[in-house]
Amino acid sequence: MLPRPTIEAFDAHLASLQLRLEAIVVGGSALALLGVTSRQTRDFDIIAPGLPPTILEAAKAFARMQRDLGLELLDDWLSNGPMQLGDVLPDGWRLRVVLAFEGKALVLHSLGRADLLKTHARSV
């Protein structure tokens, strides 16, 4: 999936359901939203907060809708898979987040550059 068009469509989906989410994203999707890369990715890794059931259900329904349109998107494309990274990042990492995307119903922040590089080094 291409991160920006996917998240823009998901933002519209959340707005139509009158749901909101503010979260911190890492990984390839964060790099794409920040304009560092334009590569495709399989998912959006959220490290905070824990995703509530309503958002997870909305994400699964969105994935089904995307597949009906012929786009590949896994049911768990939005997840808290790397949530434990928050435990190993340097103190104060939450104070260094930067805005990566702001829509009608969705606001995504990313780690600051130094912290984001540390997460990449851990995943290599």
Side-chain angles (χ1 to χ4, degrees):
M1 83 166 129
L2 291 172
R4 181 152 303 269
T6 301
I7 212 64
E8 288 171 350
F10 184 58
D11 175 58
H13 179 68
L14 286 180
S16 75
L17 298 173
Q18 298 182 346
L19 294 174
R20 287 195 44 78
L21 174 65
E22 185 166 353
I24 302 170
V25 62
V26 296
S29 51
L31 293 172
L33 291 177
L34 293 171
V36 175
T37 184
S38 60
R39 71 178 177 90
Q40 292 193 15
T41 186
R42 292 177 46 116
D43 56 14
F44 269 75
D45 294 323
I46 305 295
I47 64 169
L51 295 168
T54 54
I55 297 295
L56 291 171
E57 280 304 313
K60 284 181 189 175
F62 175 76
R64 286 190 299 271
M65 291 171 25
Q66 295 300 294
R67 288 193 300 269
D68 288 346
L69 296 172
L71 302 171
E72 287 187 39
L73 194 61
L74 301 172
D75 279 349
D76 63 351
W77 70 275
L78 182 74
S79 74
N80 284 126
M83 203 168 181
Q84 70 280 3
L85 281 176
D87 297 335
V88 296
L89 285 169
D91 290 340
W93 67 266
R94 288 178 186 261
L95 301 173
R96 295 184 294 274
V97 298
V98 296
L99 184 64
F101 175 83
E102 185 170 14
K104 294 178 183 174
L106 183 61
V107 177
L108 294 176
H109 301 277
S110 180
L111 298 175
R113 181 176 172 83
D115 294 324
L116 192 58
L117 289 171
K118 288 178 180 100
T119 65
H120 181 67
R122 286 187 171 278
S123 64
V124 173

